[in-house]
Amino acid sequence: MKMTFSEKMKNFTTSAFNVLNEKKLERQQKGLPVYNFSIGTPDFKPEPHIMQALSQAALDAENYKYAIVDREETFSAVQHWYRSRYGVSLEKREIMSVYGSQEGISRIFLPLCNPGDIVLIPNPGYPIFSIGPALCGATPVCYNLYKKNRFLIDFDDIPEETARKARAIVVSYPANPVCTTADDDFYKRLIAFAEKYNVIVIHDNAYSDIIFDGRIGKSFLSFPGAKEVGVEINSLSKSYNLTGVRVSFVVGNPDIVRQFKILRSQVDYGMFLPVQKLAVAALTGPQESVGRNRAEYQKRRDALCKGLRSVGMDMEDSEGTMFAWGKIPAKYESSEKFTLDLLEKTGVIGVPGSFFGSLGEGYIRFALVLPVPVIEEAVDLIRKTRIF
Ligand SMILES: Cc1ncc(COP(=O)(O)O)c(C=O)c1O
């Protein structure tokens, strides 16, 4: 039988990570060194009290039933987290769990959008921001992030007609892959834009804890009017080194949370109870590791950004996120070609900027997932190639 597939599949190609992974394995099989700066999964370990909470709960046979809903203690932990970390009060009806921000973003447009509704997304931006709306039948339309604006949204650059038609806007600072942060004034402009054009804000706050040089990572919800216009998706993945666990929360506008819960009640039966216990332990337990990891990321940021500038790369210091973002050498026309050449010549693996949208072309992204001495070794190898 000849298989045919849905129009939706046209939105998908094999992830650049798979291609890079194959190249990495080829090198490893030949015994050649590899410096993997591609995927943003922390190399730090989860704290013992977090792992203990999960493992103890996993030994209780009662915890293998459908959870159906979030537990009272899970709500309380999220309320505690938002109050103590961001100074934001949340009601229970403003909180729900999702299986990681990726999963949340891949479905949240189902209750929000009709087929063809416009969702504004960043270019360059994290890929799920375009895939999510497309999967839900909406139409992602890019807003452009330019270096000259510190990669912040220029709201005047969004055509009036597009803004009027838009149903939602996805915003995420500290921003992957461009590594900039947004100030308070930006969030005020965002909320004013949302109110003016009746556009729902989905703020992805994956990196509020990985922010450098004394900056403070805030919540979108800490700004007046935010809860009236949108929700924030916040993840435990990066703050607590739990990428594999898949636990995030959607918080904010109670109407959105209610509709999303109704939808999810038909497609899943709640977050595995031991994972809820783990989340409670992470959010209410000691928080020192968050600051410790942030300090280590900053040392890595310094080693990588300063190191690469010293070999001729056009690159700013990251203001936040666990990444660094810089320009490929002028002699290269394609970031994919540069990434592959760099890998072949040095074993250093980055991600081509084009993976994050058309305006990512000409850039490469590195994840700060290797210790400083290894970063220095990689920078030295790059220096020797004179690739810049
Ligand atoms: C901007 C952004 N949002 C969300 C995620 C994914 O978070 P989660 O592990 O909660 O799905 C990432 C992961 O790299 C990210 O960079």
Side-chain angles (χ1 to χ4, degrees):
M1 178 179 160
K2 185 177 178 308
M3 289 291 168
T4 56
F5 296 95
S6 69
E7 285 296 306
K8 279 201 177 68
M9 279 312 292
K10 293 189 178 141
N11 295 307
F12 297 92
T13 51
T14 304
S15 161
F17 289 125
N18 296 35
V19 178
L20 292 169
N21 200 38
E22 273 167 33
K23 299 271 174 206
K24 180 188 86 177
L25 291 176
E26 270 171 35
R27 272 186 77 89
Q28 282 173 331
Q29 272 157 13
K30 288 184 200 155
L32 295 168
V34 162
Y35 301 84
N36 193 356
F37 292 97
S38 61
I39 297 197
T41 200
D43 55 323
F44 305 129
K45 298 201 175 11
E47 289 300 287
H49 71 275
I50 300 176
M51 293 192 284
Q52 269 154 17
L54 176 74
S55 55
Q56 260 169 26
L59 288 173
D60 182 348
E62 284 301 308
N63 286 339
Y64 287 79
K65 297 179 174 157
Y66 291 128
I68 308 285
V69 290
D70 294 327
R71 285 285 176 91
E72 285 300 319
E73 58 172 342
T74 307
F75 285 122
S76 301
V78 175
Q79 285 169 323
H80 167 81
W81 179 33
Y82 261 72
R83 205 179 313 113
S84 56
R85 171 67 184 79
Y86 302 112
V88 170
S89 295
L90 291 173
E91 292 176 39
K92 261 172 63 180
R93 64 192 185 109
E94 296 171 334
I95 302 170
M96 65 186 289
S97 64
V98 288
Y99 305 128
S101 303
Q102 287 261 123
E103 187 271 336
I105 296 166
S106 74
R107 284 173 168 178
I108 195 162
F109 302 99
L110 285 170
L112 300 182
C113 295
N114 287 313
D117 276 356
I118 288 177
V119 176
L120 298 168
I121 58 156
N123 178 15
Y126 187 60
I128 196 69
F129 297 161
S130 62
I131 293 168
L135 270 178
C136 299
T139 304
V141 171
C142 292
Y143 57 79
N144 297 331
L145 300 181
Y146 296 113
K147 193 173 173 201
K148 63 176 192 262
N149 299 330
R150 290 186 48 255
F151 297 108
L152 288 179
I153 308 171
D154 176 358
F155 292 101
D156 295 333
D157 191 44
I158 300 174
E160 177 86 19
E161 211 191 320
T162 309
R164 285 198 187 288
K165 281 193 198 150
R167 180 85 184 111
I169 182 167
V170 182
V171 178
S172 180
Y173 291 97
N176 174 16
V178 293
C179 304
T180 51
T181 54
D183 54 21
D184 292 4
D185 196 54
F186 169 83
Y187 283 104
K188 288 176 194 153
R189 278 182 281 131
L190 170 63
I191 291 166
F193 172 84
E195 285 167 346
K196 178 172 176 190
Y197 293 105
N198 235 339
V199 173
I200 294 165
V201 176
I202 309 293
H203 185 253
D204 176 6
N205 203 12
Y207 295 106
S208 65
D209 284 325
I210 311 180
I211 184 162
F212 306 131
D213 306 315
R215 293 180 178 86
I216 311 283
K218 294 193 177 176
S219 161
F220 161 64
L221 299 179
S222 62
F223 295 94
K227 269 191 204 170
E228 277 73 55
V229 297
V231 289
E232 176 158 279
I233 304 197
N234 211 335
S235 176
L236 273 60
S237 286
K238 310 293 167 109
S239 300
Y240 300 99
N241 309 316
L242 298 170
T243 45
V245 182
R246 318 307 302 131
V247 51
S248 294
F249 293 91
V250 175
V251 291
N253 185 279
D255 297 327
I256 298 178
V257 169
R258 199 172 83 82
Q259 292 298 320
F260 201 15
K261 273 187 188 169
I262 292 173
L263 177 105
R264 294 177 75 85
S265 72
Q266 297 290 346
V267 291
D268 72 51
Y269 286 126
M271 181 163 279
F272 186 41
L273 290 169
V275 171
Q276 294 199 40
K277 296 270 184 195
L278 163 143
V280 171
L283 298 177
T284 60
Q287 300 292 308
E288 287 75 25
S289 63
V290 177
R292 203 171 56 237
N293 293 338
R294 172 170 46 242
E296 177 59 22
Y297 279 125
Q298 184 167 321
K299 284 187 194 147
R300 294 174 177 191
R301 186 278 315 255
D302 289 344
L304 191 71
C305 295
K306 287 192 177 65
L308 288 175
R309 279 201 296 274
S310 79
V311 307
M313 188 166 184
D314 179 356
M315 164 178 259
E316 308 278 326
D317 277 349
S318 308
E319 296 175 3
T321 77
M322 53 188 301
F323 303 103
W325 177 249
K327 287 221 163 152
I328 63 171
K331 61 187 179 238
Y332 280 87
E333 279 182 7
S334 141
S335 54
E336 204 168 319
K337 172 86 175 77
F338 172 70
T339 304
L340 291 175
D341 271 11
L342 185 69
L343 171 55
E344 205 157 288
K345 289 188 171 130
T346 61
V348 170
I349 315 179
V351 179
S354 53
F355 178 61
F356 302 99
S358 59
L359 292 181
E361 184 51 88
Y363 288 86
I364 184 167
R365 189 198 77 175
F366 297 106
L368 304 171
V369 290
L370 295 171
V372 170
V374 182
I375 292 177
E376 287 170 349
E377 209 176 294
V379 169
D380 271 348
L381 278 174
I382 297 175
R383 190 187 315 278
K384 285 186 191 125
T385 62
R386 296 174 188 273
I387 201 164
F388 283 98

